[in-house]
Structure formats: structure tokens, C-alpha cells
Amino acid sequence: MGSTHESPGADLPREASISSGLSERVEFEAFVGRVQKRVYALLLRRVGDRETAKDLTQDTFLKAWQKWHTFVQRQRDLPWIFTIARNNAADHFRRSNTEKRGGERQHPDGDRCEPVDHRGGTPLEQLIIAEKRAAVWSAIGQLPERQQKIIIMRCAGLSYAEIAKETGRSKSAIGTTLVHIRKKLRKMVSGDAACA
């Protein structure tokens, strides 16, 4: 007969979709709660400014949420989110450098004058710290991907045991790898040290 009402099962795909979306959201929120402090710590070390690190952390998780449905290796979520965070920081520096080139203030004598945050010492000390930080992160970017992930996880505050769990390697292998990575980074940046 020509009933205009849908059968009870007609809404099943939509309900399943809503249920699936809800469970993904709950899973993602749990993920954020578990790793948010580490992502923030990584970005803070990278950019050196709390407010910028907060903004980049929020943007990192927004990008992660947008790609969450495509992410299948959830047991390896730390390297994935740290890669997003690292790329986000790199994008931030590219934007900052572009803005600085176009909008630099000038001293009357013609020398460039950039705004300085006086919380970290003299402008010269801040410049040295910023240059060392940039050199270390540039060197990290030149490492093989596996080594990048390990040193980034360490910089984000993960213990050797946590890194071992994330990478599927032993704790002692992580320790040995980090020793080699640090030596390599010191050579690459002329004696500057990476994360402890």
C-alpha cells in the first residue's frame, strides 16, 4: 500500500552515522586531553612565546580534528600530532618572516628595529637564544624522519619509556638513539645542544 511514512529502519544509516560521529568526537576529546600538554610544551619550546604556543596548539588540534577520520594508526598518535604541530610551527615562522620583511620598522639611522620581548634578557641575549633555537630546529628538520620523531617526542617531554612505546622500540634503544641524535645535532649546529 502507498504509505507515506518511512519504515523504522529507514533512519538506521543516519543514526549509525550520528553514533559514529559521536564516538569519534569522544575518542578525539580523550586524545586531546591525553596529549594537549605535550603538544603545548613542544610548541612553546619551538616558538618561545606562551601566547603563540597556545594559539598554535589550538590550531594543531583543529587541523588534527579535520583529519581525524582519515587517521587509521591511532596507536601511533603522538608522532602524528607532533608532526602536525611541527608543521604548524614552521608555517608560523614562514608567515612571521614574510610579515617582518614587509613591515619592518626602521631606526632613524636606517638599521632595522624589531620589537623585543624584554622578559628574556637583553635584545642581544634574546637574539642569540632565538638564533640557537632556530638552528637546532632547522637541524632537526634535516634528520631522517624516524630520528625527527624521536627527538621531537623527547622535546615534548615524553620519557624514554613513552617514546619506546610509541615507536615500538626498547627503552635502551631509544636512549642510544637519542645519544646519537644529540651528537649529530651538536655537529650540525656548531656545538649547540638539543633537548635534554
Side-chain angles (χ1 to χ4, degrees):
M1 301 200 199
S3 172
T4 59
H5 298 292
E6 294 181 6
S7 67
D11 286 337
L12 188 57
R14 182 172 180 267
E15 290 170 1
S17 173
I18 290 170
S19 175
S20 172
L22 184 59
S23 67
E24 273 197 352
R25 182 176 174 191
V26 168
E27 183 182 13
F28 184 76
E29 287 175 359
F31 165 69
V32 171
R34 187 170 54 81
V35 302
Q36 185 173 17
K37 287 180 182 177
R38 291 177 173 163
V39 170
Y40 172 75
L42 170 69
L43 289 166
L44 181 58
R45 282 187 176 166
R46 180 71 174 99
V47 299
D49 176 73
R50 291 180 193 277
E51 290 304 313
T52 302
K54 285 179 186 176
D55 291 344
L56 290 173
T57 299
Q58 182 176 6
D59 192 46
T60 296
F61 284 109
L62 176 62
K63 289 177 180 176
W65 172 244
Q66 291 168 344
K67 298 292 183 183
W68 187 252
H69 66 283
T70 66
F71 182 52
V72 293
Q73 273 196 313
R74 301 235 167 115
Q75 70 277 13
R76 301 277 189 236
D77 55 11
L78 285 176
W80 178 71
I81 195 69
F82 289 157
T83 298
I84 294 172
R86 187 184 74 230
N87 291 340
N88 225 6
D91 290 345
H92 164 75
F93 284 121
R94 277 192 287 277
R95 282 189 308 270
S96 294
N97 287 338
T98 301
E99 289 169 9
K100 283 181 184 177
R101 282 191 298 262
E104 290 175 335
R105 294 183 295 148
Q106 298 286 325
H107 270 303
D109 63 4
D111 291 340
R112 288 187 296 200
C113 175
E114 297 299 326
V116 175
D117 177 2
H118 294 285
R119 293 176 291 174
T122 68
L124 179 59
E125 289 169 335
Q126 290 180 27
L127 178 63
I128 291 168
I129 290 168
E131 286 178 351
K132 285 181 179 181
R133 180 180 288 125
V136 168
W137 284 98
S138 175
I140 288 172
Q142 296 172 33
L143 294 171
E145 185 176 349
R146 183 178 60 94
Q147 291 180 348
Q148 283 183 32
K149 288 178 180 179
I150 290 171
I151 193 70
I152 287 170
M153 284 189 274
R154 185 64 181 153
C155 288
L158 272 69
S159 69
Y160 286 21
E162 291 169 316
I163 296 169
K165 180 180 176 190
E166 289 297 323
T167 60
R169 301 180 70 207
S170 72
K171 187 176 164 183
S172 63
I174 294 301
T176 302
T177 301
L178 282 166
V179 167
H180 293 298
I181 291 171
R182 287 186 190 110
K183 285 180 183 177
K184 187 185 283 187
L185 288 173
R186 282 186 189 102
K187 287 180 185 176
M188 293 170 78
V189 293
S190 306
D192 295 331
C195 305

